Amino acid sequence: MNIAKRTILLGSLVVTMIAGCSEKIVAPGQTGAVTISMKIDAAQASQSISRMLVYVVLPERETDQLMVDSLTEKDGYFVGELAIPAGRDRRIIVEGIGMGRQDIPILLYKGETVADVLPGIITRLSIDLYPVVPMVKLLPRYLEIPFAASFRLDLAVYNLNLLDSAVIGVFFDSPSLAIDSVVRNRSLGSSVAEIDWFDGSQGEITVYQTSPLGTIVNSNGFATLATIFVNNYQMPDTTVSVDTSFFQIFPVSLSKLGLDSIPVSSVYYESARILVDSSFGSAVIR
């Protein structure tokens, strides 16, 4: 077998694997195991993820041998290496572990794909990591923008089966941010989205289904409920060149078809981090 180096990067919960460091193949033509080098930007990963696991399943083994590497966090990255035999149809699984209720580690995110891991060949692939627990979140969860720029955030729910109404609290910590509008996702059909602001930086978004037999999620409990359009009025000055803001959300009330309530304490939620920098020429979504 030949030795190849592969790098896994994470941005906006998408893992990208590229043969080589950056995009260059290194040490082709040598014998031995294939080494997968993993480097995942912790700042761009989910706020809830404290540990990353990577599994590789080899289909040619009779028992589908599973190899796993637990990445360690170092200098703002999840890093690690895993040596595997080169070959085709390697099933690559990535899991994000976080702290659950009562400070017990649980699986929060998971994604997988099948790819050929061959030496001397550049292979690029993406593994979308999806929540495996009931969750309300904003997308993108990390956004870099220049000063005086506008941006949008999608409000999405995961694993909330038969959800027919949701009230989501919203607040942000920057006086330079202002809500322009909140627009219901058109794919929700006859549902309704309302917005009720208590003051300039906090309020609630309500989405509910007007049909007596309808829901606001698909069969997997997923939906993008609404899009929030935000203006940033901060201007560059001589004292501030970088500013970080957090656009926060939390579930206030959730109900299922048939008026059964969903305990909000059982639902996870993730907010968005907004980085404003005078050096950014245009918005960068991660």
Side-chain angles (χ1 to χ4, degrees):
M1 300 176 199
N2 294 326
I3 295 177
K5 287 284 186 179
R6 297 176 184 269
T7 302
I8 295 182
L9 307 173
L10 182 68
S12 187
L13 295 182
V14 176
V15 177
T16 304
M17 187 174 73
I18 308 172
C21 183
S22 296
E23 295 190 7
K24 299 178 181 178
I25 301 173
V26 297
Q30 299 182 28
T31 60
V34 174
T35 300
I36 300 180
S37 298
M38 291 149 282
K39 185 177 183 181
I40 300 175
D41 191 332
Q44 298 172 18
S46 161
Q47 301 140 319
S48 303
I49 294 177
S50 58
R51 184 184 178 197
M52 293 293 249
L53 300 176
V54 178
Y55 300 83
V56 180
V57 179
L58 306 179
E60 66 272 16
R61 303 291 175 87
E62 292 183 1
T63 58
D64 276 353
Q65 179 177 339
L66 188 67
M67 292 172 289
V68 60
D69 183 77
S70 179
L71 308 185
T72 59
E73 191 169 358
K74 180 180 179 181
D75 299 328
Y77 291 90
F78 291 105
V79 297
E81 291 189 346
L82 179 61
I84 67 171
R88 299 190 180 278
D89 296 330
R90 269 63 184 124
R91 183 178 167 211
I92 301 170
I93 305 168
V94 179
E95 293 185 350
I97 309 297
M99 298 305 294
R101 312 305 180 193
Q102 292 80 47
D103 292 330
I104 299 175
I106 66 167
L107 174 63
L108 294 177
Y109 284 88
K110 184 176 181 178
E112 64 178 80
T113 192
V114 175
D116 299 335
V117 178
L118 304 176
I121 296 179
I122 295 177
T123 303
R124 188 181 185 108
L125 58 93
S126 292
I127 303 176
D128 296 323
L129 300 185
Y130 296 101
V132 297
V133 295
M135 185 176 291
V136 178
K137 67 179 303 177
L138 289 173
L139 299 170
R141 63 147 307 276
Y142 181 76
L143 182 63
E144 297 175 353
I145 62 172
F147 288 94
S150 300
F151 57 94
R152 55 181 288 174
L153 297 168
D154 289 331
L155 175 62
V157 295
Y158 297 81
N159 304 308
L160 289 171
N161 295 325
L162 300 179
L163 182 71
D164 72 349
S165 71
V167 180
I168 309 299
V170 176
F171 66 96
F172 44 89
D173 59 4
S174 173
S176 66
L177 297 182
I179 301 294
D180 177 79
S181 60
V182 177
V183 179
R184 172 186 60 86
N185 189 336
R186 294 181 180 178
S187 66
L188 297 183
S190 59
S191 64
V192 174
E194 298 177 346
I195 180 170
D196 180 21
W197 292 106
F198 305 132
D199 58 37
S201 62
Q202 63 179 335
E204 292 180 352
I205 297 174
T206 302
V207 180
Y208 59 92
Q209 178 59 253
T210 58
S211 171
L213 297 178
T215 68
I216 55 175
V217 293
N218 63 16
S219 59
N220 296 317
F222 167 79
T224 299
L225 300 182
T227 299
I228 308 168
F229 293 90
V230 187
N231 294 324
N232 171 51
Y233 294 107
Q234 183 167 336
M235 301 297 293
D237 57 37
T238 58
T239 59
V240 178
S241 59
V242 178
D243 180 63
T244 299
S245 300
F246 290 93
F247 203 100
Q248 312 273 7
I249 59 169
F250 58 94
V252 176
S253 66
L254 305 165
S255 67
K256 290 184 179 181
L257 186 65
L259 301 180
D260 293 329
S261 63
I262 301 174
V264 295
S265 60
S266 67
V267 178
Y268 291 79
Y269 49 95
E270 288 198 344
S271 304
R273 178 185 175 195
I274 317 299
L275 184 64
V276 183
D277 194 318
S278 58
S279 65
F280 298 143
S282 58
V284 177
I285 297 174
R286 296 178 181 174

